[in-house]
Amino acid sequence: MRPQLIMPLLVAILAGCSPTIANRGNLLDADRIAQIKADTSTREDVIDKLGSPSHRSTFDDNTWYYIGRRTERYSFLDPEVTDQQIITIHFDDNGIVKTIEKTGKDEIANIDAAPGQTPSFGRDTSWIQDLFGNIGRAGTPMAGQSRRGRPE
């Protein structure tokens, strides 16, 4: 084989082996989190250093969450979670940080879907009925209507 053909083929094969990296949410660096101190930092300090939170607690405005996840995916394989964190910041009623909690990838439960099917009510149709079931129905007016959708 010619070297001119081997090199592009080799590059294409190696490009297929590199992962696709996806960052979702807000993955914070440890040094940025370390700038927030309990009993001294305010809400404004937290927003200045970490940005706005990913989520605020539904029932308590004094709890903020910073949620982030990084996944890697190789070609057609399922994505693999390489990093995941949830930073929970609790404030007191005066807006001062009370506690900072960090939950990492190892502490988060991975819940798989249950096997099987969810029962649904209605007609069970075969794939043949699905394929050919609407033949002759296209453009047929509903009972009591003309083709233009007006009552007869």
Side-chain angles (χ1 to χ4, degrees):
M1 244 186 187
R2 294 183 173 171
Q4 296 90 350
L5 297 176
I6 293 174
M7 191 57 95
L9 182 63
L10 184 61
V11 169
I13 290 172
L14 290 176
C17 295
S18 63
T20 302
I21 298 173
N23 291 320
R24 292 184 173 83
N26 195 351
L27 281 172
L28 301 172
D29 297 328
D31 58 333
R32 288 176 57 195
I33 298 168
Q35 294 176 3
I36 305 300
K37 305 288 184 198
D39 298 325
T40 58
S41 297
T42 64
R43 289 180 189 196
E44 291 78 22
D45 296 335
V46 173
I47 289 177
D48 288 342
K49 292 181 176 37
L50 305 181
S52 19
S54 305
H55 183 71
R56 293 180 190 205
S57 178
T58 304
F59 301 108
D60 181 16
D61 288 337
N62 291 329
T63 304
W64 291 4
Y65 300 98
Y66 291 86
I67 304 167
R69 174 186 268 188
R70 174 178 290 133
T71 59
E72 290 183 3
R73 180 179 184 158
Y74 290 92
S75 63
F76 57 86
L77 301 175
D78 289 336
E80 178 183 334
V81 176
T82 57
D83 190 15
Q84 181 170 313
Q85 70 180 4
I86 299 173
I87 307 298
T88 306
I89 300 177
H90 299 280
F91 297 95
D92 64 12
D93 292 333
N94 297 324
I96 306 296
V97 174
K98 283 195 314 187
T99 60
I100 303 168
E101 302 170 11
K102 181 177 179 182
T103 306
K105 177 183 149 193
D106 300 331
E107 299 155 341
I108 297 172
N110 186 15
I111 301 171
D112 294 325
Q117 292 181 331
T118 302
S120 61
F121 301 101
R123 281 184 22 187
D124 286 334
T125 57
S126 67
W127 67 274
I128 298 273
Q129 289 171 322
D130 290 339
L131 187 61
F132 297 111
N134 285 328
I135 292 179
R137 291 189 196 179
T140 305
M142 294 188 311
Q145 289 187 346
S146 68
R147 287 204 177 264
R148 294 191 178 134
R150 292 184 227 148
E152 293 179 333

